[in-house]
Amino acid sequence: MTNWATIASLATAGGTLVLAVATFVSVRQGNRATRISEQAARVAEQSLLAGRRPLLANSRLQDPKQQIEFSEGEAVEVPGGHAGLQATDSVVYMTISIRNVGTAVLHGWHLHIGIQRERAHPPLEEFITQNRDIYVAPGDIGFWEGAYRDPAAAPFQAAAAAIKAGETLLVSLLYGDYEGGQRVITQFNLVHQDDTWVASTIRHFNVDRPDPR
């Protein structure tokens, strides 16, 4: 005799199992889709950050000359791919013609006299803060400027003597994106050649994330 109660119970159990399997598969696919969406969002974010990431280099030799004016009204002319260095009795003027690959706002600078062979950058606390924000547009040329204004100070005297002697200088620039993040330090060698100063980029250091090398 057919036991309809048993058959009904088995049918119910089977239906429940099928529903459970379907739910499991649906949830798993949903989780997988969520992970894929999260990965795509991270890739999109990284691409956006890469597009905004600042990176400075010396401008090209064929780039136009720039007239860089300082607060005293003194103007220093800088050809493409060069630096402009001028030491007077009261002020040491320094400027570099630069090009930006991303979007950069300059934060500060540091001057080292002589060739530095060590792959290192100065401590952040030793950088001199820019008196004004200098923005370098993406893919365009711009400039950096810095000055020593205390003739009695040792940095002034050392920089003035080095410029007059034509010694090689190393300028480290600290900068980041327009929101203050993604900070980078780029170092420029300034080499005296035929009464001009040729600027060349030699190193980049990431401040807020691991270095690429």
Side-chain angles (χ1 to χ4, degrees), residues 4-213:
W4 293 107
T6 302
I7 294 174
S9 297
L10 291 174
T12 301
T16 302
L17 178 61
V18 170
L19 179 60
V21 171
T23 302
F24 172 77
V25 172
S26 177
V27 170
R28 187 172 183 180
Q29 289 178 340
N31 290 339
R32 182 172 180 272
T34 300
R35 288 196 299 270
I36 292 175
S37 297
E38 290 175 349
Q39 292 173 354
R42 285 195 294 269
V43 170
E45 181 183 12
Q46 290 172 355
S47 298
L48 177 62
L49 290 175
R52 288 176 42 203
R53 187 164 296 149
L55 187 64
L56 297 179
N58 53 279
S59 62
R60 298 169 299 201
L61 294 175
Q62 64 268 32
D63 283 332
K65 294 181 180 180
Q66 299 182 79
Q67 287 280 356
I68 313 303
E69 187 169 327
F70 288 80
S71 58
E72 294 85 359
E74 181 73 20
V76 177
E77 184 178 83
V78 189
H82 285 71
L85 304 176
Q86 182 177 322
T88 70
D89 292 337
S90 57
V91 182
V92 172
Y93 298 106
M94 300 172 288
T95 184
I96 304 173
S97 177
I98 56 180
R99 176 173 287 275
N100 182 25
V101 179
T103 302
V105 177
L106 292 168
H107 297 173
W109 58 277
H110 179 279
L111 177 67
H112 172 81
I113 297 173
I115 298 174
Q116 178 178 300
R117 304 191 185 280
E118 182 183 3
R119 284 183 171 271
H121 64 76
L124 295 181
E125 59 271 16
E126 293 184 9
F127 279 76
I128 299 173
T129 302
Q130 300 289 153
N131 287 337
R132 61 168 175 160
D133 291 338
I134 301 177
Y135 173 84
V136 186
D140 201 358
I141 64 169
F143 64 90
W144 161 78
E145 66 175 15
Y148 292 118
R149 292 183 166 86
D150 183 2
F156 179 106
Q157 297 172 4
I163 291 171
K164 291 176 181 178
E167 293 187 49
T168 297
L169 304 178
L170 177 71
V171 174
S172 300
L173 299 185
L174 172 64
Y175 56 96
D177 61 33
Y178 61 85
E179 292 182 337
Q182 302 189 96
R183 292 178 299 171
V184 178
I185 294 172
T186 294
Q187 295 181 324
F188 297 82
N189 258 350
L190 310 184
V191 180
H192 190 250
Q193 294 181 358
D194 299 327
D195 295 329
T196 66
W197 292 87
V198 178
S200 59
T201 310
I202 58 170
R203 300 184 191 96
H204 300 287
F205 300 94
N206 293 328
V207 176
D208 301 317
R209 60 189 187 279
D211 279 322
R213 68 179 68 86

